[in-house]
Amino acid sequence: MTSQLLHTLKSVISPYFTMANPEARLSKAMHVIAALAETCPATSRELFLAGAELLKAASADHGWNVIGPCFQHGVDRTDTVRELARSHLAALPGGLRHVLAVCNIRVFDELNEKVFGALSQDVRDEIVRRWSEPNASSLYVTKDGLFAVDLPGTDFRCALTAKGLSQNGLRLTQLEATRLLLAQVDGDFASGPVRTVLPAMAVLHPGVVYTLLGAVIGPDGSLPPELDRDEIHALAAAAHDRLKGEDGTVELREPFARFFRWMGDEKRAAQAHALTAKVRSMHAEQGGALAVDPNLSGHDRADEVLRINHTRAAIERQLAAFHYDRAIEPRLAATELLASASSFSSAGERPLAAAMYAAAAEKLASCGAFFEVRSTLKDAAGAYGADSEALSRICTRCADAFGQRGLHYAAAKTHALAAEFLRERIERHTDIDVAAAVACYERHFVRAQSDLPARIRSAIAARLDALSSPDGLKVIGAVIRFDARQDPILFEVFDPQADTEWLLWHMGEQGDGTGVYHLVIDETREQLCRTGSRHPYFDRAVTLNDFVDDDAALALLSR
């Protein structure tokens, strides 16, 4: 049985490995695997055996004598040879499919980072120097759309993934990355200036393009003068849009937040800050490492790491909100402010959390509904604690924002909510300024009540043309009429500045069940109910239930 197996292996290998010369073994193994990569199906037995022979040849002393000097002293020979061979296979025509048949692209990306991160400084510098020379042709694009570079002093050509280009891989400086963008490239995929190849590469490998472009962005988000800002922006935007659903790293995301801000691309700047915040929050949950005071104990150190990551995430969310606001996306800005508040709260920064909740509530009052603001104000109230005056101020700003949108019912409700918050604090808190809290409570309570007639008049004025039209104002479930813009009984003419209380008189229903209402003044209701007048449409006397006033009237007029 054993002899039969050996015979079978020999029959497969012998056409390829007939040389006994150990110096020629590595070269022959590389030639064989190159011949098989494009023609063999994935996970084929022939390619497996050829790969095994390549690993043996490269790991043997004669092979390692060629490969070893390219890497830092002390690297693991077996691991280095294996990942170098994997990277070489990925650079061959048809080779990437074989690599991805045994590991996904994320794993390969991480392994590729280890290969390039382990290169000796001299070899790493030589690789960069070669593509930096005028008319250099030592930079390639594989048939599968990846960059590839030759390993100096060897016959190996290594595919270069996103992490291979990262600061843990080749560690390109801004100048080196710029020279790569300005270099010429050869290969089956495309040839010519690198910049002309990147759009097609971004479709297949957006992470590679994203990482390369990130390396050319300066600390202030600017680009070197040799590069065309509009061309780079188009490439960066395309790569960003394809990758915005992925987490990435802080080092990867932060440069693009700066760059999009520099370009005036506010929405993508906001997205980049939000993605950076997401990574920071993940670090907080996973206990990501940070440089902290070495004198702290283990428990204190973990708490400090948690606090710093949450704080940094909160700041990134705040910056995202700023850019969404400039992009005229108030709801997205509010979402980021809420996330910032949550992160500040997790960091134990209650005053900052309260400020973010307050800003989110005010932003929502400019674009959202009362129930959204109510929920956010409740969070703000919890964060403000005993600071009743600060809570009163933000509730007032939210009410004013609703008022500016003509949502007077929501504004009144906001004042009522503020009064409720303050009453609870007066009843429960022992460490508050009671006099100040009572003053704030009374102010909101009065505005929630006495403002209603004025808010109703403002709502009428805002929709006066529709109300006085032949068809009346049609809202959900109701039609409101205001014939001749006056009370139909006492003939009071509408004046938005007069101190008159207007309300709705239910006059009946249409055939589809829609309620019909007429605007009348409070004196008309009083007179009709006091005298027992007959209802013009119902066979009975007029009652108080026929009238809709205060909050309900404002709600109908504001639908």
Side-chain angles (χ1 to χ4, degrees):
M1 185 70 179
T2 302
S3 60
Q4 183 179 359
L5 177 60
L6 290 173
H7 176 75
T8 302
L9 290 174
K10 183 178 179 182
S11 67
V12 173
I13 297 174
S14 59
Y16 306 121
F17 307 115
T18 57
M19 292 188 177
N21 184 353
E23 285 73 21
R25 185 181 181 188
L26 178 59
S27 177
K28 184 65 177 179
M30 295 181 71
H31 173 75
V32 170
I33 205 164
L36 292 174
E38 194 167 17
T39 58
C40 282
T43 68
S44 72
R45 182 166 175 266
E46 292 84 358
L47 189 70
F48 172 78
L49 293 171
E53 173 60 20
L54 176 60
L55 292 178
K56 289 179 182 178
S59 298
D61 287 344
H62 65 270
W64 185 248
N65 288 338
V66 174
I67 298 167
C70 295
F71 294 92
Q72 298 168 18
H73 179 72
V75 297
D76 184 272
R77 181 188 298 199
T78 301
D79 289 346
T80 301
V81 167
R82 182 178 61 250
E83 302 317 330
L84 176 62
R86 194 194 308 269
S87 184
H88 176 73
L89 177 59
L92 296 173
L96 184 61
R97 64 192 174 96
H98 297 293
V99 171
L100 298 183
V102 295
C103 70
N104 62 42
I105 189 65
R106 285 179 178 271
V107 172
F108 176 53
D109 197 18
E110 291 170 359
L111 296 174
N112 192 251
E113 179 183 60
K114 291 181 179 179
V115 170
F116 284 96
L119 292 175
S120 70
Q121 188 64 43
D122 289 344
V123 169
R124 178 257 178 217
D125 292 345
E126 175 63 15
I127 289 173
V128 173
R129 185 193 64 78
R130 288 181 176 184
W131 76 53
S132 301
E133 291 181 342
N135 302 316
S137 58
S138 60
L139 184 65
Y140 308 92
V141 178
T142 71
K143 194 171 184 179
D144 296 303
L146 283 172
F147 284 121
V149 293
D150 291 333
L151 189 63
T154 76
D155 292 329
F156 283 90
R157 176 171 292 177
C158 302
L160 193 53
T161 67
K163 288 192 173 182
L165 280 166
S166 74
Q167 291 307 302
N168 291 322
L170 272 183
R171 306 179 300 281
L172 297 181
T173 65
Q174 185 183 27
L175 177 61
E176 291 168 343
T178 301
R179 286 176 175 169
L180 195 159
L181 281 175
L182 297 173
Q184 297 288 316
V185 68
D186 289 331
D188 297 325
F189 182 80
S191 297
V194 167
R195 299 189 315 282
T196 64
V197 175
L198 291 182
M201 186 181 288
V203 175
L204 297 174
H205 306 289
V208 174
V209 177
Y210 201 72
T211 304
L212 175 58
L213 295 181
V216 304
I217 298 170
D220 62 348
S222 63
L223 296 175
E226 306 97 296
L227 300 177
D228 184 290
R229 56 185 287 165
D230 292 328
E231 181 181 33
I232 299 302
H233 176 254
L235 288 168
H240 168 86
D241 292 347
R242 290 182 68 87
L243 292 172
K244 64 184 178 183
E246 300 184 15
D247 298 330
T249 64
V250 171
E251 294 74 20
L252 190 64
R253 296 299 187 183
E254 279 186 335
F256 286 90
R258 299 194 301 268
F259 172 66
F260 288 130
R261 179 173 66 245
W262 183 67
M263 287 295 299
D265 189 341
E266 303 291 352
K267 191 166 184 178
R268 288 192 177 91
Q271 291 169 344
H273 278 298
L275 288 166
T276 304
K278 184 179 178 182
V279 177
R280 292 285 190 198
S281 295
M282 289 173 58
H283 287 175
E285 294 170 5
Q286 300 165 3
L290 287 171
V292 297
D293 187 348
N295 297 317
L296 293 174
S297 67
H299 183 271
D300 291 340
R301 179 186 293 269
D303 286 347
E304 182 67 2
V305 168
L306 188 70
R307 186 190 67 79
I308 291 173
N309 275 318
H310 278 309
T311 300
R312 289 180 175 178
I315 293 170
E316 292 292 343
R317 294 289 186 184
Q318 194 175 358
L319 290 169
F322 169 78
H323 288 291
Y324 273 133
D325 199 41
R326 294 185 65 171
I328 317 176
E329 295 280 2
R331 186 170 289 279
L332 292 175
T335 299
E336 294 303 322
L337 288 168
L338 285 172
S340 178
S342 178
S343 291
F344 273 131
S345 182
S346 297
E349 300 286 355
R350 284 188 61 182
L352 292 173
M356 293 301 101
Y357 279 128
E362 188 172 6
K363 189 62 64 180
L364 283 171
S366 72
C367 64
F370 172 72
F371 77 90
E372 297 173 287
V373 176
R374 177 179 58 199
S375 175
T376 305
L377 284 176
K378 285 183 178 179
D379 290 329
Y384 274 125
D387 193 347
S388 56
E389 293 189 35
L391 178 58
S392 174
R393 283 194 297 272
I394 185 55
C395 288
T396 299
R397 292 207 299 267
C398 289
D400 291 345
F402 277 130
Q404 290 170 7
R405 295 169 61 199
L407 301 178
H408 307 293
Y409 177 60
K413 283 292 189 183
T414 303
H415 282 297
L417 182 65
E420 179 185 337
F421 288 152
L422 292 162
R423 186 183 68 249
E424 290 176 354
R425 272 152 183 71
I426 294 168
E427 294 173 351
R428 297 179 183 179
H429 285 261
T430 58
D431 57 347
I432 67 168
D433 183 339
V434 175
V438 169
C440 291
Y441 167 79
E442 291 177 346
R443 184 165 59 249
H444 285 291
F445 182 81
V446 170
R447 292 193 67 179
Q449 302 302 317
S450 64
D451 272 4
L452 276 173
R455 294 178 188 280
I456 290 173
R457 290 194 298 272
S458 296
I460 293 170
R463 311 182 84 170
L464 193 56
D465 289 340
L467 286 164
S468 58
S469 68
D471 294 330
L473 172 65
K474 295 181 179 180
V475 297
I476 299 174
V479 174
I480 306 172
R481 301 186 183 280
F482 199 18
D483 299 335
R485 301 183 180 183
Q486 64 180 13
D487 182 293
I489 305 299
L490 299 180
F491 307 108
E492 175 85 14
V493 177
F494 177 71
D495 180 359
Q497 304 304 320
D499 189 19
T500 306
E501 184 176 352
W502 290 88
L503 44 93
L504 300 171
W505 185 12
H506 184 208
M507 302 297 286
E509 294 180 349
Q510 294 181 343
D512 60 359
T514 299
V516 179
Y517 299 85
H518 281 254
L519 278 161
V520 297
I521 61 175
D522 186 46
E523 286 80 355
T524 294
R525 174 176 62 178
E526 181 181 349
Q527 178 177 312
L528 292 173
C529 291
R530 186 180 68 250
T531 60
S533 301
R534 302 295 295 177
H535 196 288
Y537 297 98
F538 299 128
D539 187 21
R540 57 168 175 77
V542 174
T543 69
L544 286 174
N545 291 333
D546 292 325
F547 299 90
V548 179
D549 60 5
D550 297 335
D551 291 347
L554 187 57
L556 270 175
L557 287 163
S558 301
R559 280 185 184 174

